[in-house]
Amino acid sequence: MFGIVRPCRHTLCKSLHAEWMAHLCGLCLTLRDRHGHLARLVTNYDGLLVSVLVEAQAPELSPHRRAAPCALRGFSRADVVDARAEGARLAAAASLALAAGKIGDHLSDRDGVYARPLVGAAARRVAERWSRASDHEAAALGFDGEVLRDALARQPLLEARGGLTLLELTEPTETAVSAVFAHTGELTGKPHNAPALAEAGRLFGRLAHLLDAVEDLEADRRNGAYNPILATGTPLAEVRRLCDDAAHGIELAVADLDLERRTLVRALLVGEVRRAVARTFDDHRHGTEHPPGEVPKVRSFFVVCPAELCKICTCGWYQPKWSPNRGKSCRERCECPCDCCDGCSYCNNCCDCCRCCKRCDCDCCDCG
């Protein structure tokens, strides 16, 4: 499982975490049911955002079912998104295409075991199979798989050209993710969401590409492998600025979306994306000072997890000093998926906090 958005039970309240797991397990089972057990290997955290976006815009297009016990869930049953759901199918198509592209990159770079003839030949066959499956699934959903193929084909050409800027190198990834995100608006009958979805996808693709490069920076430097940051000579501080700008742009794009269910989308594409940026750069700081609002890595286990747990247990009433929500009202910080009041357009019916922590300071309904 790979991806930059990987929340845990300490950063999502119980109901939101259950929703996220329903999409994660749903994507895994969709890949199994429609493309075979081997395809489950391409299950990834970022791909399920497509399924989340479809359900957020049109819940009726994401039927759920009760899944059988699974070893990865401790042999427990769970509510999951059904393999018939169009969002899960589009997420599966994107995940297969991404995995096929990853294998292609390893083969072209002759990384590790991929340099061995037998392993390379087997990997090539798997990549071709997944690429065909992705095209077939995408076509059934009215999505042009050529966009993904073109992006995957252009990436190595740009890397070989040289003399390009960092954002020119991230353009294929931006284009591919933008197209997939925008198509969720078409699937759900909300084409007016397409521009904001395309912008969110473009910036998310940029962020995923950059964070992946940061994570691999030291290993690529040691091994002499290609890395866009090293190839362009971009300072790490500039990369951080680009990532922060992208995260802010995603937040603005999400705010413009017409969604039936906003809370999980905002929790993943806003809260978890910002955590991903902080986490990635915290791992590559090399002893320099921490920017304001961040917690040093050595404190992450002993401070961050208990603090996040306290935040969840109090439904966001407690906010640690490094939280961007510290001092904000319930309307600004609450991410609970609630429906205890009507007409709460500002915070999308978030007033369930009056039931789960017995305190509510918002004025959008008569919580008492």
Side-chain angles (χ1 to χ4, degrees):
M1 297 190 185
F2 47 93
I4 65 172
V5 178
R6 40 183 187 265
C8 70
R9 296 180 188 275
H10 291 177
T11 57
L12 289 180
C13 66
K14 184 177 180 180
S15 56
L16 283 181
H17 189 267
E19 286 186 39
W20 180 75
M21 285 298 298
H23 287 281
L24 179 61
C25 294
L27 174 57
C28 178
L29 295 176
T30 298
L31 287 163
R32 181 200 68 182
D33 294 345
R34 301 184 68 86
H35 305 289
H37 275 283
L38 185 62
R40 299 175 76 178
L41 293 173
V42 311
T43 303
N44 70 94
Y45 296 128
D46 293 346
L48 68 87
L49 289 173
V50 177
S51 179
V52 171
L53 285 170
V54 170
E55 184 174 62
Q57 295 175 87
E60 67 277 5
L61 296 181
S62 293
H64 286 227
R65 68 177 178 87
R66 193 72 175 169
C70 174
L72 297 178
R73 293 193 299 269
F75 294 99
S76 63
R77 300 177 68 88
D79 174 75
V80 303
V81 176
D82 193 90
R84 296 170 298 154
E86 295 186 347
R89 292 169 58 194
L90 182 60
S95 298
L96 288 167
L98 175 62
K102 281 276 188 180
I103 293 176
D105 286 342
H106 288 308
L107 289 172
S108 61
D109 294 340
R110 300 179 62 81
D111 293 335
V113 296
Y114 290 93
R116 299 177 181 176
L118 290 179
V119 175
R124 186 171 290 104
R125 290 188 62 183
V126 170
E128 291 172 353
R129 177 184 173 186
W130 285 349
S131 182
R132 289 194 301 269
S134 174
D135 290 344
H136 178 76
E137 193 75 89
L141 295 169
F143 179 71
D144 184 8
E146 182 62 32
V147 176
L148 300 181
R149 288 196 303 274
D150 177 69
L152 292 171
R154 283 190 297 110
Q155 188 67 55
L157 298 178
L158 291 178
E159 293 175 357
R161 182 184 303 176
L164 300 179
T165 65
L166 189 58
L167 293 187
E168 288 175 325
L169 290 171
T170 64
E171 181 274 324
T173 308
E174 295 178 24
T175 301
V177 180
S178 177
V180 175
F181 273 34
H183 192 66
T184 65
E186 302 295 333
L187 280 180
T188 56
K190 293 189 175 183
H192 54 281
N193 274 341
L197 287 166
E199 179 67 3
R202 182 180 68 83
L203 294 173
F204 186 84
R206 174 185 299 178
L207 197 58
H209 196 133
L210 293 178
L211 293 185
D212 182 63
V214 173
E215 288 180 345
D216 296 341
L217 187 60
E218 293 309 312
D220 290 343
R221 197 196 307 272
R222 289 193 304 269
N223 301 329
Y226 182 88
N227 186 291
I229 298 175
L230 297 176
T232 58
T234 307
L236 206 56
E238 174 63 12
V239 180
R240 177 63 189 263
R241 185 190 68 79
L242 292 173
C243 289
D244 287 335
D245 287 349
H248 182 63
I250 292 172
E251 181 175 4
L252 295 178
V254 168
D256 288 339
L257 293 175
D258 173 18
L259 302 175
E260 300 294 326
R261 298 178 182 175
R262 180 175 299 274
T263 49
L264 184 58
V265 173
R266 180 171 176 79
L268 296 178
L269 281 176
V270 178
E272 292 303 325
V273 160
R274 290 194 178 279
R275 288 188 186 95
V277 174
R279 178 177 62 243
T280 302
F281 281 90
D282 187 60
D283 288 343
H284 294 80
R285 186 156 295 118
H286 302 295
T288 57
E289 291 187 4
H290 292 257
E294 284 191 27
V295 182
K297 184 180 180 181
V298 294
R299 298 173 56 197
S300 60
F301 179 79
F302 297 102
V303 176
V304 176
C305 285
E308 291 287 356
L309 182 60
C310 289
K311 185 177 74 172
I312 295 303
C313 290
T314 61
C315 194
W317 178 71
Y318 166 77
Q319 294 288 334
K321 62 182 181 180
W322 61 82
S323 171
N325 291 325
R326 186 176 178 86
K328 293 185 179 179
S329 68
C330 176
R331 291 168 59 133
E332 297 173 293
R333 69 174 182 259
C334 188
E335 292 181 345
C336 291
C338 321
D339 55 3
C340 62
C341 63
D342 296 323
C344 183
S345 58
Y346 184 87
C347 55
N348 196 42
N349 299 334
C350 71
C351 298
D352 200 32
C353 49
C354 57
R355 292 207 298 262
C356 58
C357 71
K358 308 301 181 186
R359 53 172 64 88
C360 183
D361 59 358
C362 57
D363 56 6
C364 56
C365 67
D366 188 12
C367 292

